[in-house]
Amino acid sequence: MKQLFTSQKNIIYLNSGSLSLTPLQTIKAVQKFEEEYENNPTAHLFRSWLDLWEVQKKVASHFQADPKQFFFRSNVTQPLNEFILGAPLPPGSEILTTNQEYGAIFNICQYRVQTDGLKLRTVEFPKKIEFQNLTEKSLIDLIVSAFRPETKMLVLSHIYTGHGLILPIFEICKEARKRGITTIIDGAHTPGAFPLDFRQFSDVDYFAGNLHKWWMGPKGTAFGWVNPLRNNDLKPLQAGWTTFESYPPFNELAEGSRFAQKMFMLGCQNFSPFYALEETLNFWESQKTENILGRLKTLGHHLVSEMNRADFSRFGANDLRLHGPLYTFEIPLKLQNRPYHELMLKILNETQVQVAIVILEEKLHLRLAPHIYNTKEEITGAVSRLKQFFR
Ligand SMILES: Cc1ncc(COP(=O)(O)O)c(C=O)c1O
């Protein structure tokens, strides 16, 4: 498997939670498209959007989604802005979210409530001790019991950045739908870490996923998905060629769907990372989704058992089935008094292991996120170096 990726020089890469490595065949495809484009940028530009629609159809179908409800963006922050700022909310209503969301996405919620004079309320997750005993049922109860009549929008991560916990979003969104609450799911970590199938999403209103994390797509690739029930509600934040009836090639996009055209990624840009998604798709099809997800689990369980043996205390639910491929551990008190990025760099310099440092309950924690290009031997080696470092 390792030979399918760029070989890491002198480091063990254990932070696929921020960005994964991309298979060599995809990197080569990006380069090939860039070179071809340079041969005649004008000729390429005018067919770019129709070519992009062809890729959109393939990637959407891979996730069993209707391509007309699916649109590309460069990262997940973009569609989440479009959803949180663009979905309608009546005066006096409340956005409900949690204290575990990714900071940038929490800020979008804050921006919406400040702009429109609304309220923002956060559900507090239990502290470490009770956190360990979380179950699917207790997670559903935690969120659903926080709904109030004024709650009109719910913004939740599917897989949490801090500790990898997976929320049972389908059950939660079903309860929200019954109460007329609009649901927006931050799926930054979902594609490639979870068997994503949009046929299960009938109760979800809006979803955004990254392709450059666990799905191993080129850097700068992500998508948004909108439930067809919401096509007339969402107010696009940007306008361009397709906002009104247009002429070729724009009116030929997406089989004429006005919604898909309005949400399409328009304007001149670097199209190569998106064209190269087809190569990532080939990678998933040749390596088989179930094998990749199985390997993620095997490596994760190996990591957790090695970290246990090295006496690291994990922050997370005891039931590993509730977790995606990110695993988080406590850090000794003596290392708490420095900024997180300095500690990350110090660990890299002294151990040659690339980790992430995250903040949970106001303390720095160590987050490790292996992917299929890591080996069990590497993980064992990394754990022994980390043990030495934290001693
Ligand atoms: C849960 C979550 N949401 C959103 C993001 C933002 O992703 P991006 O920078 O690709 O938009 C991240 C990035 O780590 C994340 O973990």
Side-chain angles (χ1 to χ4, degrees), residues 137-316:
K137 181 173 179 319
S138 64
L139 282 165
I140 298 168
D141 289 347
L142 179 73
I143 307 290
V144 173
S145 66
F147 293 168
R148 289 191 188 149
E150 61 272 28
T151 311
K152 297 292 175 214
M153 181 186 278
L154 179 64
V155 179
L156 297 173
S157 293
H158 182 205
I159 303 182
Y160 277 98
T161 194
H163 34 64
L165 186 81
I166 301 179
L167 263 197
I169 51 166
F170 303 122
E171 293 81 353
I172 295 171
C173 289
K174 191 170 176 184
E175 292 304 315
R177 171 71 54 81
K178 284 185 201 158
R179 295 159 176 86
I181 301 171
T182 298
T183 50
I184 299 178
I185 303 298
D186 171 356
H189 293 277
T190 308
F194 184 89
L196 183 57
D197 178 343
F198 279 97
R199 289 172 302 186
Q200 298 175 311
F201 277 58
S202 55
D203 290 317
V204 179
D205 292 315
Y206 302 96
F207 180 91
N210 260 334
L211 296 170
H212 55 201
K213 285 192 192 285
W214 297 96
W215 205 64
M216 301 175 280
K219 311 297 176 277
T221 55
F223 67 87
W225 173 89
V226 177
N227 190 311
L229 294 173
R230 299 288 159 245
N231 285 7
N232 294 330
D233 298 345
L234 186 69
K235 186 172 152 216
L237 292 190
Q238 293 176 5
W241 277 117
T242 53
T243 304
F244 305 106
E245 289 290 347
S246 195
Y247 39 76
F250 304 113
N251 63 353
E252 293 163 0
L253 288 170
E255 293 151 21
S257 156
R258 291 295 298 126
F259 177 75
Q261 289 177 358
K262 282 194 245 178
M263 300 307 289
F264 210 80
M265 207 171 50
L266 288 175
C268 299
Q269 60 198 287
N270 183 3
F271 296 91
S272 307
F274 295 95
Y275 296 155
L277 285 171
E278 260 191 277
E279 219 28 78
T280 321
L281 206 50
N282 290 340
F283 181 87
W284 278 85
E285 278 162 11
S286 64
Q287 298 299 324
K288 306 239 172 340
T289 302
E290 59 277 21
N291 293 347
I292 296 181
L293 295 180
R295 183 164 162 82
L296 279 180
K297 282 227 157 10
T298 309
L299 291 174
H301 291 180
H302 179 70
L303 171 78
V304 169
S305 88
E306 291 293 86
M307 288 296 273
N308 275 345
R309 278 198 323 134
D311 288 331
F312 282 95
S313 167
R314 191 167 71 84
F315 187 115

Side-chain angles (χ1 to χ4, degrees), residues 16 33 40 48 55 89 154 164 189 210 230 271 302 353 367:
S16 299
F33 285 124
N40 183 349
S48 288
V55 183
L89 279 175
L154 179 64
H189 293 277
N210 260 334
R230 299 288 159 245
F271 296 91
H302 179 70
V353 183
R367 190 189 74 187

Side-chain angles (χ1 to χ4, degrees), residues 126-136 138-139 163-166 300-301 304-305 308 312-324 327-329:
K127 298 274 186 232
K128 185 180 180 224
I129 304 293
E130 301 107 78
F131 198 104
Q132 292 171 349
N133 300 324
L134 283 171
T135 60
E136 245 180 45
S138 64
L139 282 165
H163 34 64
L165 186 81
I166 301 179
H301 291 180
V304 169
S305 88
N308 275 345
F312 282 95
S313 167
R314 191 167 71 84
F315 187 115
N318 287 336
D319 184 352
L320 278 181
R321 286 171 307 176
L322 293 180
H323 279 268
Y327 305 91
T328 301
F329 303 87

Side-chain angles (χ1 to χ4, degrees), residues 1-6 24:
M1 187 61 75
K2 257 199 155 357
Q3 73 285 1
L4 301 177
F5 295 84
T6 309
L24 281 170

